[in-house]
Amino acid sequence: MKKILLLSDTHSYIDSRILHYVNEADEIWHAGDIGDLKVTDAIEALKPLRAVFGNIDDDKARATYPLHQRFNCEGVSVWITHIGGYPPKYNINTRDEIKSNPPQLFICGHSHILKVIPDKKNGVLHMNPGAAGKHGFHKVRTMLRFTLDSGNIENLEVIELGKK
């Protein structure tokens, strides 16, 4: 069993509230728009991190993190990318792959809107953790926390970090 903390769209912002939840997790997943790598450095100093770069990320972030991460964790197939769309409106870069080789868990950032949507047609659970940073149109900073155990996604929680 692994406790996962999922965040996105930090836009160079990290604070003690985020780091509090980092300390409680086994792994941290960042779905892009990291901003300054001080964010990922602070997280990696505490816990293992899987991250992708987003559309605002510079050459350093793009050299450090990939555009897509596909992996298995605790029996769950996972795909993390920054811009991927959501069920049933996946974008052109993800649509065909989701149909032909669907992950069990598809994670995106970018929209700053927290969403968890089951895609029953493709057998995929879509998650977008919203935005943990202070830049953007969102009103409340959010993250997601859940556990992976023997192929199951369990104990999903929304974490509200307060107004931006």
Side-chain angles (χ1 to χ4, degrees), residues 14 19 22-28 37-50 65:
I14 188 99
L19 294 175
V22 166
N23 275 314
E24 292 182 348
D26 296 319
E27 276 189 24
I28 314 310
L37 291 184
K38 70 178 182 180
V39 170
T40 50
D41 290 346
I43 293 168
E44 287 182 307
L46 301 171
K47 297 291 173 144
L49 172 69
R50 297 179 196 252
Y65 301 104

Side-chain angles (χ1 to χ4, degrees), residues 76 104-105 125 127 146-149 151-156:
V76 175
Q104 190 174 347
L105 179 56
L125 180 61
M127 288 186 189
F146 53 93
T147 57
L148 300 179
D149 190 11
N152 297 306
I153 304 161
E154 302 173 330
N155 304 314
L156 178 63

Side-chain angles (χ1 to χ4, degrees), residues 43-107:
I43 293 168
E44 287 182 307
L46 301 171
K47 297 291 173 144
L49 172 69
R50 297 179 196 252
V52 296
F53 71 80
N55 57 296
I56 67 106
D57 289 318
D58 64 13
D59 291 343
K60 279 185 176 178
R62 291 167 189 252
T64 305
Y65 301 104
L67 175 62
H68 302 282
Q69 286 237 22
R70 284 207 73 162
F71 57 93
N72 283 293
C73 184
E74 297 294 315
V76 175
S77 63
V78 180
W79 181 1
I80 304 173
T81 194
H82 184 61
I83 303 173
Y86 53 90
K89 298 177 182 180
Y90 299 108
N91 76 18
I92 195 163
N93 299 316
T94 59
R95 182 180 322 132
D96 291 342
E97 181 75 11
I98 286 174
K99 288 179 183 174
S100 66
N101 185 19
Q104 190 174 347
L105 179 56
F106 181 60
I107 295 170

Side-chain angles (χ1 to χ4, degrees), residues 9 11 110-115 130-131 133-141 164:
D9 295 278
H11 291 264
H110 186 62
S111 72
H112 292 222
I113 300 169
L114 188 146
K115 295 180 184 181
K134 291 192 169 189
H135 177 77
F137 67 88
H138 59 284
K139 304 268 189 241
V140 177
R141 299 168 43 233
K164 64 175 198 169

